[in-house]
Amino acid sequence: MSQVYDRVALIGLGLIASSMFWAMKRAGLAGEVTGYARSAETRDTAREIGLCDRVCDSMAEAVKDADLVVLCVPVGAMGAVAAEIAPALKPGATISDVGSVKAEVIAAVAPHLPENVHFVPAHPLAGTEHSGPRSGFAELFDERWTLIVPMENSDRGAVGRVNALWQGMGAFTEEMDAEHHDLVLAVTSHAPHLIAYTMVGVADDLRRVTDTEVIKYSAAGFRDFTRIAASDPTMWRDVFLNNKDATLEILGRFTEELFALQRAIRTGDGDHLHAYFTRTRAVRRGIIEAGQDTDAPDFGRAKKG
Ligand code: NAP
């Protein structure tokens, strides 16, 4: 894979930015990669582990001369970051982001950007429950989808290079409009996270009654919920505050289905339950056939202890 950009700047140096850096290095996609994080602690860690070719102490210094600037901060911080970098951007540069919500991020970022830069939002559908500069790894995006969400008037050449970068980092890419992206993600990611947070919260309340049994005997279903519910609180607070309508729409449907299943249990309607679980099993099969998960009994994770 050949170089796509001479200079790339990463703003925010957490899980996604650090994974991008290692993936870009793996494939030689960028000449020089600069990085900036708001805390001196994160910048020191980045310097210590060789995350970025040059770690800068200001956003302006990091984005100066960059051909691509990627905003890798929580969704709620994107607007303020865009306002701060705007005066320092190189004419003709491309600005992208990795935010988990698109319509609100576009609304927050676009007004700050000068006319002589290209804005090409994107969202890698890959992550872990870990965060921070040490959590990234080059393989994170391999064979995962990255959705590219161009603006109506986005320059096609700039969109093509963002596509090429993500493909070079191992991802499959597809273009999508912002509203559709936010609805799809509400179904596939945002509502499931909220449900996991709720279930773990309920179990935690119950733990006070049953002492340590919830942890001690935690079965696979609950353990998987706890992994999801260990995700970064700031990131997820911002996701729900910024993808409000789509998430509420899906949660409304979820609640209706839950009540229907609750009634089936109360009335002993086994046929309803069986038919429902048969349908959902087919969804799982589809995901495995599409290569987006493994059917290993432990979900492909190494067994511990
Ligand atoms: P992360 O590991 O928590 O890192 C976030 C980075 O943003 C840190 O460098 C942090 O700086 C910086 N930051 C936090 N609040 C800020 C603020 N108010 N102003 C300026 N900088 C701030 O997060 P991440 O998981 O990489 O997520 C980054 C973005 O990717 C988010 O928009 C998220 O929605 C999106 N995303 C995440 C996942 C996932 O699974 N994690 C997947 C796809 C997309 P300090 O270290 O100095 O505090």
Side-chain angles (χ1 to χ4, degrees), residues 139-220:
E139 299 79 20
L140 180 65
F141 310 115
D142 284 351
E143 296 181 18
R144 298 279 168 234
W145 288 91
T146 291
L147 300 176
I148 314 283
V149 184
M151 314 281 286
E152 227 168 74
N153 55 353
S154 285
D155 177 85
R156 292 309 304 173
V159 175
R161 285 170 84 191
V162 171
N163 260 294
L165 180 79
W166 280 103
Q167 287 172 10
M169 290 191 290
F172 305 133
T173 62
E174 195 155 287
E175 291 184 26
M176 201 176 265
D177 73 60
E179 281 68 30
H180 191 63
H181 166 280
D182 290 353
L183 183 63
V184 169
L185 266 292
V187 180
T188 58
S189 171
H190 305 167
H193 268 81
L194 200 74
I195 292 159
Y197 279 122
T198 313
M199 194 58 231
V200 176
V202 167
D204 188 48
D205 289 343
L206 218 70
R207 191 155 63 107
R208 294 186 190 118
V209 182
T210 60
D211 199 14
T212 57
E213 284 165 334
V214 169
I215 303 257
K216 190 170 165 192
Y217 301 122
S218 96

Side-chain angles (χ1 to χ4, degrees), residues 13-16 38-39 42 72-75 77 98-100 124 126-127 131-132 235:
L13 294 174
L15 169 71
I16 300 297
R38 66 178 170 169
S39 70
T42 299
C72 305
V73 297
V75 163
V98 294
S100 306
S131 49
M235 171 187 156

Side-chain angles (χ1 to χ4, degrees), residues 11-18 36-43 59 71-78 80-81 97-101 105 123-133 135 140-141 193 231-232 234-236 239:
I11 305 299
L13 294 174
L15 169 71
I16 300 297
S18 55
Y36 169 83
R38 66 178 170 169
S39 70
E41 189 188 345
T42 299
R43 297 196 297 272
M59 285 194 214
L71 311 184
C72 305
V73 297
V75 163
M78 296 276 184
V81 168
D97 76 289
V98 294
S100 306
V101 175
V105 166
H123 177 205
L125 307 188
T128 73
E129 67 277 26
H130 302 295
S131 49
S135 58
L140 180 65
F141 310 115
H193 268 81
S231 301
D232 187 68
T234 306
M235 171 187 156
W236 284 96
V239 166

Side-chain angles (χ1 to χ4, degrees), residues 3-304:
Q3 194 172 304
V4 182
Y5 294 99
D6 286 342
R7 286 164 184 262
V8 174
L10 300 172
I11 305 299
L13 294 174
L15 169 71
I16 300 297
S18 55
S19 297
M20 288 183 73
F21 175 74
W22 301 120
M24 284 190 277
K25 285 290 148 185
R26 178 183 68 174
L29 301 167
E32 187 194 41
V33 180
T34 55
Y36 169 83
R38 66 178 170 169
S39 70
E41 189 188 345
T42 299
R43 297 196 297 272
D44 287 347
T45 302
R47 288 184 181 112
E48 182 196 324
I49 64 176
L51 168 60
C52 292
D53 300 315
R54 191 157 50 88
V55 176
C56 303
D57 290 321
S58 78
M59 285 194 214
E61 191 191 340
V63 305
K64 186 176 171 283
D65 298 326
D67 304 294
L68 173 72
V69 177
V70 190
L71 311 184
C72 305
V73 297
V75 163
M78 296 276 184
V81 168
E84 192 171 336
I85 60 170
L89 293 171
K90 174 173 141 175
T94 295
I95 317 307
S96 189
D97 76 289
V98 294
S100 306
V101 175
K102 295 277 61 112
E104 286 289 327
V105 166
I106 291 170
V109 170
H112 296 294
L113 299 180
E115 283 193 356
N116 59 6
V117 301
H118 308 294
F119 183 29
V120 184
H123 177 205
L125 307 188
T128 73
E129 67 277 26
H130 302 295
S131 49
R134 294 183 192 274
S135 58
F137 52 99
E139 299 79 20
L140 180 65
F141 310 115
D142 284 351
E143 296 181 18
R144 298 279 168 234
W145 288 91
T146 291
L147 300 176
I148 314 283
V149 184
M151 314 281 286
E152 227 168 74
N153 55 353
S154 285
D155 177 85
R156 292 309 304 173
V159 175
R161 285 170 84 191
V162 171
N163 260 294
L165 180 79
W166 280 103
Q167 287 172 10
M169 290 191 290
F172 305 133
T173 62
E174 195 155 287
E175 291 184 26
M176 201 176 265
D177 73 60
E179 281 68 30
H180 191 63
H181 166 280
D182 290 353
L183 183 63
V184 169
L185 266 292
V187 180
T188 58
S189 171
H190 305 167
H193 268 81
L194 200 74
I195 292 159
Y197 279 122
T198 313
M199 194 58 231
V200 176
V202 167
D204 188 48
D205 289 343
L206 218 70
R207 191 155 63 107
R208 294 186 190 118
V209 182
T210 60
D211 199 14
T212 57
E213 284 165 334
V214 169
I215 303 257
K216 190 170 165 192
Y217 301 122
S218 96
F222 181 66
R223 277 206 309 264
D224 286 323
F225 275 141
T226 61
R227 186 179 56 77
I228 296 170
S231 301
D232 187 68
T234 306
M235 171 187 156
W236 284 96
R237 175 202 62 194
D238 285 5
V239 166
F240 294 119
L241 294 181
N242 289 279
N243 197 17
K244 198 169 164 177
D245 294 346
T247 308
L248 290 177
E249 161 69 20
I250 300 308
L251 286 175
R253 287 167 185 252
F254 174 82
T255 313
E256 285 172 23
E257 297 281 323
L258 190 63
F259 278 138
L261 289 173
Q262 211 172 320
R263 206 176 76 207
I265 293 170
R266 183 175 301 113
T267 59
D269 187 351
D271 289 347
H272 181 92
L273 296 174
H274 195 271
Y276 203 92
F277 302 158
T278 303
R279 183 153 69 90
T280 55
R281 191 176 225 192
V283 175
R284 172 80 193 151
R285 214 173 298 128
I287 290 171
I288 290 162
E289 277 164 21
Q292 293 299 299
D293 208 345
T294 159
D295 63 355
D298 63 351
F299 289 81
R301 294 194 291 278
K303 276 243 183 310
K304 286 199 188 99

